[in-house]
Amino acid sequence: MAHRLYGRKKNVKKGFQFTLMVVGASGTGRTTFVNTLCDSNVLAKKACHNPEEAHNEEGITIKPISVELDEDGVRISLTIVDTPGFGDNIDNERCFDAIVAYLEQQYDDILAEESRIKRNPRFYDNRVHALLYFISPTGHALREIDIELMRRLSPRVNVIPVIGRADSFTPQELHDFKRRIMEDIEHYNIPIYNFPYDVEEDDEDTIEENSELRALLPFAIIGSDEEIVVNQRTVRGRQYPWGAVEVDNPQHSDFARLRSALLSSHLQDLKEITHDFLYENYRTEKLSRTVHGGDADNAALNAEDMASQSVRLKEEQLRKEEEKLREIELKVQREIQQKRAELLSKEEALRNLEARLAQAQLSDA
Amino acid sequence: MAPVTVSAAGIGVAHLPNQRHKIVTKRGANFTIMVCGESGVGKTTFINTLFTTSIKDYKDPAKRHEKQLDRTVEIEITKAELEEKMFKVKLSVIDTPGFGDYVNNYDSWMPVVEFLDDQHENYMRQEQQPVRQGVADMRVHACLYFIRPTGHSLKPLDIEVMKRLGSRVNLIPVIAKADTLTPKDLAEFKRRILEVIEAQNIRVYSCPIESDDEGMTERNRSIMAAMPFSVIGSTQTVRTPDGREVKGRQYSWGVAEVENEDHCDFKKLRNLLIRTHMLDLISTTEEQHYENYRQQQMATRKFGEPKVKKYENPKHREKEDALRKVFTEQVRQEENRFRQWEQQLISERDRLNKDLETQHAQIKALEADLEHMYHQHGRGTMRK
């Protein structure tokens, strides 16, 4: 599908920039996938450290790495953002926030840059164009953590669900698993990137290609950074006692289709959606938030602060405030009394004056 | 007194084991096994493969949307009766659906641990009753903990649970879905798991290796060396490329066989659980784990006192959260009320101040007038 990319000769020479984030619990095949994609050991396998510290829960870390790829003669400057530690803790609530914060940070940077008076023409766009979410190969359906993650991240990035370690499944099991996942995605209304096409506008080829890719969702991935010999050929794959799985064989895994979709045919589409749709949404949300919601946010924050304080402290505060208000009330009332007294005395004086005036006038007359 | 050998013809004391055998055969056996692990890891399939019949039903996937995500770990008991060569076994399988499936799995091991302790507790209670016939014994004889085949190492959740299980029941770690790991990966994985088990002081089941029979000793040794056991589960019969009909899983690239020792340790585990060490599992549960529990409880509790329940239901926690929210709401409303009251007072004060000022102004005007009139009058009188 190289014709898509050859829009302008300048682009081809300059190459393309693409940022891909990979998220998934450890052991779902993330690292191996990235290494298979880039055809080199870009990411190091998880270093299994000290067994005595194995019970420690690490949080999630976000690591961007840059790689140069050559796809069909086109240079692609690929940035891979790895997220080791996701889903590995006993309590994983914090993991989502870290990822969302990273995505929004990139958007914030672009927003700030756009708003500058003098903009930097060499500004490096770090926005994430696609996120591959590795679903654990349970064989049942989506788990709570899968649903939560995809739901929270879809508004900020193109989410493409992927089944890692797909060599756990027989063909029938894989088919059922994929079907159930897509049912779940529809049931929970999770907006993923599903290779959108317009039946009326796009040409037949595009429609066919996109609906094929859509039918393959979620992609079943088998990755390997080792080479084995199968039928006198040397291929990338995994060797089992009962057979050999080939990574690039479309009957064994959807890896080849995914790679071409990400790096060739749909690279531009993903970037466009990120810029025209996701970034614009974020921008609108953020700017309207700073205009209107200042007070609402503060009130909400206060409520949350209060919720975390203890009951007694709150009661104390309330009592103090009550006292203060009562004092103010008393003071005001006293002032009022004072002024009234003054008024009365002045009125008296006035009346006296008037009386004297009247007398004076009388005597005058 | 040294044992006295009876005459070679014998009086029949040697028949005692036979009598025992007859009684035991008639009574049958009672075996309770627990499977613990995340969902989708192969527990149900394993049980069905182990007993070669459909003991457990698979969860109906069509119903999964009906269930509310209420974040509880349940305990599911399936009972079955097996019969082989006139010997009956009452089998109970305990499953723990929901374990490890949620975003926050903290304390998700509590229902499991509670269940194990409860069975010991029940048995203890029944023993202390005046009438002890018909004791219902659901003490768990073996707990299989299914480890997800990530290829890396044990997760913090695994370690936490295994620690707690190991001290209460015969814990046997199992690597599920072993057909996703190449032999090299599998060996590495096993080695790392054993390292962690050692370093974290997790107690796993170890059977007696030494026995009178040489062959037995060898077999026992090889069984224990294979721990944690890698298993492939399948109830379907498939045909291998070389024409055999076996139980296995058919992939596009080959057939993984369940009973092939090169492919997985299923046979060894089955021997351990059923063929050779079932009795040992039952007796260690009764002798070691139950006695441990009994000792602990007796040391702190009086005879006949009920047990103190420590674990709080997550439902209670939710209620607590709801109440806290209500409280926060009320506090916020009170604060608003105070603020409004303050506003009112301030506006009152301002209004009154303004009134005062207008009155002041009026007074000043009147005074000025007076002055003026005095002045005039003064001049007037002077003129007079």
Side-chain angles (χ1 to χ4, degrees):
Chain A
M1 295 295 154
H3 65 269
R4 283 274 192 80
L5 302 179
Y6 291 147
R8 283 180 242 153
K9 251 189 157 174
K10 208 167 53 166
N11 270 346
V12 174
K13 268 224 299 223
K14 203 169 65 172
F16 289 91
Q17 195 275 327
F18 190 67
T19 308
L20 178 71
M21 185 184 249
V22 284
V23 179
S26 74
T28 45
R30 244 178 29 244
T31 313
T32 314
F33 169 77
V34 170
N35 291 345
T36 317
L37 186 73
C38 306
D39 227 343
S40 64
N41 274 358
V42 173
L43 295 177
K45 286 258 164 76
K46 179 170 161 175
C48 285
H49 35 250
N50 202 343
E52 286 172 20
E53 290 176 14
H55 64 284
N56 286 340
E57 298 178 74
E58 311 168 338
I60 183 176
T61 46
I62 304 199
K63 294 193 311 193
I65 297 184
S66 292
V67 186
E68 292 282 324
L69 291 184
D70 192 298
E71 179 81 5
D72 275 347
V74 183
R75 255 180 9 131
I76 301 188
S77 173
L78 182 66
T79 309
I80 308 237
V81 185
D82 192 14
T83 55
F86 175 81
D88 290 339
N89 306 316
I90 298 183
D91 182 357
N92 292 308
E93 293 278 354
R94 302 282 158 78
C95 297
F96 308 123
D97 295 333
I99 302 180
V100 173
Y102 179 81
L103 293 172
E104 291 189 349
Q105 172 86 45
Q106 310 312 315
Y107 284 152
D108 282 339
D109 288 345
I110 296 272
L111 192 59
E113 185 62 27
E114 275 187 353
S115 326
R116 269 212 245 276
I117 301 178
K118 202 156 184 241
R119 293 196 257 183
N120 181 0
R122 285 187 187 285
F123 186 75
Y124 200 70
D125 181 2
N126 264 326
R127 289 175 294 187
V128 177
H129 301 121
L131 186 144
L132 291 183
Y133 179 64
F134 281 74
I135 298 173
S136 202
T138 60
H140 289 193
L142 286 182
R143 297 181 303 164
E144 190 193 358
I145 193 172
D146 305 329
I147 299 169
E148 265 308 298
L149 177 112
M150 290 202 279
R151 214 189 240 161
R152 294 234 212 156
L153 296 190
S154 295
R156 296 280 172 255
V157 68
N158 293 312
V159 174
I160 303 177
V162 156
I163 301 175
R165 301 184 85 113
D167 51 351
S168 330
F169 299 116
T170 61
Q172 181 61 40
E173 287 171 355
L174 185 61
H175 175 81
D176 290 338
F177 188 39
K178 282 191 178 186
R179 187 175 50 85
R180 281 195 283 263
I181 291 181
M182 293 316 282
E183 277 175 15
D184 275 350
I185 286 180
E186 213 180 284
H187 178 88
Y188 291 104
N189 267 329
I190 304 173
I192 57 167
Y193 178 74
N194 58 357
F195 302 96
Y197 55 84
D198 195 329
V199 187
E200 290 165 22
E201 289 205 5
D202 295 327
D203 59 83
E204 274 215 21
D205 281 340
T206 320
I207 297 180
E208 199 186 310
E209 187 193 348
N210 279 342
S211 46
E212 249 186 70
L213 285 170
R214 190 183 282 188
L216 274 181
L217 272 176
F219 295 97
I221 301 289
I222 301 173
S224 171
D225 37 19
E226 287 169 355
E227 298 200 330
I228 55 174
V229 180
V230 174
N231 293 343
Q232 277 111 31
R233 286 176 298 132
T234 312
V235 286
R236 291 189 299 186
R238 292 167 67 77
Q239 182 77 50
Y240 291 111
W242 50 85
V245 184
E246 297 169 45
V247 165
D248 296 308
N249 185 336
Q251 282 185 342
H252 293 181
S253 102
D254 300 330
F255 175 77
R257 294 304 305 272
L258 178 63
R259 183 174 205 270
S260 79
L262 275 183
L263 298 182
S264 296
S265 49
H266 288 79
L267 186 139
Q268 271 309 110
D269 197 28
L270 287 165
K271 286 181 77 162
E272 273 169 21
I273 294 189
T274 310
H275 182 73
D276 296 336
F277 185 59
L278 297 167
Y279 171 62
E280 286 302 311
N281 276 349
Y282 176 72
R283 198 169 171 280
T284 317
E285 274 180 38
K286 177 143 194 217
L287 292 179
S288 49
R289 227 191 297 153
T290 49
V291 168
H292 295 306
D295 299 329
D297 276 353
N298 282 338
L301 273 174
N302 276 340
E304 277 165 26
D305 284 338
M306 291 199 296
S308 55
Q309 284 175 12
S310 69
V311 172
R312 207 169 292 154
L313 266 176
K314 229 175 296 177
E315 281 188 1
E316 290 258 345
Q317 268 191 357
L318 283 177
R319 220 175 296 135
K320 272 190 224 152
E321 292 232 3
E322 260 195 58
E323 283 181 23
K324 250 188 279 175
L325 285 174
R326 221 159 265 147
E327 268 179 78
I328 294 179
E329 208 188 322
L330 281 174
K331 231 194 314 180
V332 169
Q333 282 192 354
R334 246 180 282 138
E335 273 189 42
I336 295 178
Q337 299 274 19
Q338 257 184 337
K339 298 269 164 142
R340 206 172 286 158
E342 270 188 45
L343 249 185
L344 281 176
S345 59
K346 292 254 166 150
E347 247 184 285
E348 276 293 321
L350 245 186
R351 236 175 266 138
N352 286 343
L353 278 175
E354 273 189 7
R356 276 166 47 195
L357 240 184
Q359 269 188 357
Q361 277 184 347
L362 269 178
S363 57
D364 217 7
Chain B
M1 241 177 72
V4 178
T5 319
V6 183
S7 73
I11 52 173
V13 180
H15 282 277
L16 191 56
N18 287 352
Q19 295 175 19
R20 210 49 168 134
H21 181 88
K22 277 208 192 101
I23 294 175
V24 170
T25 319
K26 227 167 87 173
R27 203 194 309 158
N30 176 8
F31 192 57
T32 310
I33 183 171
M34 175 186 261
V35 286
C36 189
E38 294 174 34
S39 75
V41 91
K43 305 188 292 283
T44 310
T45 313
F46 174 75
I47 291 289
N48 290 345
T49 314
L50 186 67
F51 295 109
T52 62
T53 63
S54 213
I55 299 222
K56 281 193 74 196
D57 292 319
Y58 290 100
K59 278 197 291 217
D60 186 1
K63 293 216 185 115
R64 67 190 186 272
H65 293 152
E66 289 171 24
K67 182 171 123 119
Q68 297 289 346
L69 286 174
D70 55 359
R71 285 157 210 195
T72 49
V73 178
E74 298 160 358
I75 300 280
E76 204 178 83
I77 305 178
T78 313
K79 291 200 190 203
E81 200 170 292
L82 306 172
E83 188 176 327
E84 191 182 281
K85 287 200 190 139
M86 305 290 282
F87 184 63
K88 292 198 183 58
V89 174
K90 284 209 190 70
L91 177 72
S92 308
V93 178
I94 320 262
D95 193 2
T96 55
F99 176 78
D101 286 340
Y102 304 113
V103 175
N104 183 356
N105 292 310
Y106 193 72
D107 263 356
S108 57
W109 51 79
M110 285 311 287
V112 182
V113 167
E114 280 261 314
F115 179 81
L116 291 172
D117 284 342
D118 277 349
Q119 304 317 309
H120 286 307
E121 177 71 20
N122 279 344
Y123 192 77
M124 211 169 87
R125 288 283 205 74
Q126 286 177 36
E127 266 201 324
Q128 295 168 1
Q129 296 298 329
V131 178
R132 290 205 287 187
Q133 301 297 82
V135 169
D137 183 8
M138 276 275 282
R139 290 174 297 180
V140 179
H141 299 123
C143 178
L144 298 175
Y145 185 76
F146 284 74
I147 302 171
R148 201 175 264 296
T150 59
H152 294 299
S153 180
L154 286 181
K155 297 195 299 187
L157 179 64
D158 295 332
I159 295 173
E160 280 302 313
V161 183
M162 284 172 81
K163 273 190 191 161
R164 289 180 168 75
L165 291 179
S167 58
R168 293 177 160 82
V169 69
N170 292 323
L171 178 66
I172 302 174
V174 170
I175 300 176
K177 294 196 174 179
D179 46 350
T180 63
L181 295 170
T182 58
K184 198 169 54 122
D185 290 342
L186 184 61
E188 261 303 297
F189 191 37
K190 282 193 180 185
R191 190 185 59 81
R192 282 200 208 111
I193 292 181
L194 287 174
E195 266 180 16
V196 174
I197 288 181
E198 178 83 31
Q200 297 280 335
N201 280 327
I202 300 175
R203 218 171 104 187
V204 293
Y205 174 68
S206 60
C207 68
I209 297 188
E210 295 301 328
S211 89
D212 300 322
D213 185 7
E214 259 298 317
M216 256 323 244
T217 315
E218 251 326 291
R219 270 198 295 269
N220 286 351
R221 202 167 285 142
S222 75
I223 288 181
M224 287 329 290
M227 183 114 69
F229 300 97
S230 62
V231 292
I232 302 174
S234 173
T235 46
Q236 293 166 333
T237 313
V238 294
R239 184 178 280 274
T240 56
D242 49 359
R244 293 171 293 134
E245 295 261 338
V246 288
K247 278 236 170 45
R249 291 169 60 75
Q250 181 139 54
Y251 293 105
S252 325
W253 46 86
V255 171
E257 300 167 42
V258 168
E259 303 215 4
N260 186 332
E261 301 240 15
D262 292 327
H263 293 185
C264 73
D265 299 324
F266 176 78
K267 262 185 149 170
K268 293 204 180 91
L269 182 57
R270 184 177 58 191
N271 285 347
L272 177 80
L273 283 178
I274 302 182
R275 242 161 244 187
T276 49
H277 289 88
M278 191 188 236
L279 191 57
D280 185 59
L281 287 168
I282 297 178
S283 54
T284 30
T285 308
E286 287 177 7
E287 286 159 26
Q288 274 182 28
H289 296 287
Y290 174 64
E291 286 304 311
N292 268 347
Y293 180 79
R294 196 166 174 281
Q295 232 177 15
Q296 278 177 5
Q297 295 299 314
M298 289 272 174
T300 52
R301 279 161 53 192
K302 291 202 290 257
F303 194 81
E305 220 182 66
K307 186 170 156 190
V308 175
K309 280 234 176 238
K310 276 189 293 182
Y311 169 57
E312 50 169 70
N313 217 324
K315 289 204 180 75
H316 290 174
R317 207 184 296 159
E318 279 177 16
K319 259 190 230 155
E320 206 187 307
D321 282 341
L323 279 175
R324 201 173 291 156
K325 269 199 195 87
V326 169
F327 181 68
T328 318
E329 264 305 306
Q330 285 184 342
V331 168
R332 207 184 309 163
Q333 284 175 359
E334 285 294 297
E335 275 242 329
N336 279 345
R337 203 168 61 83
F338 278 140
R339 233 168 255 148
Q340 281 178 1
W341 187 18
E342 194 182 34
Q343 295 287 354
Q344 272 181 3
L345 285 178
I346 292 179
S347 57
E348 269 290 311
R349 185 184 60 179
D350 286 338
R351 194 174 60 84
L352 287 172
N353 273 352
K354 246 189 218 107
D355 276 349
L356 273 173
E357 271 179 45
T358 46
Q359 300 234 356
H360 257 225
Q362 278 181 359
I363 293 174
K364 277 221 173 64
L366 281 175
E367 273 189 3
D369 264 348
L370 252 180
E371 283 283 331
H372 196 74
M373 272 197 262
Y374 254 143
H375 213 66
Q376 276 187 340
H377 194 234
R379 272 191 281 136
T381 47
M382 290 266 290
R383 256 189 280 136
K384 257 216 296 223

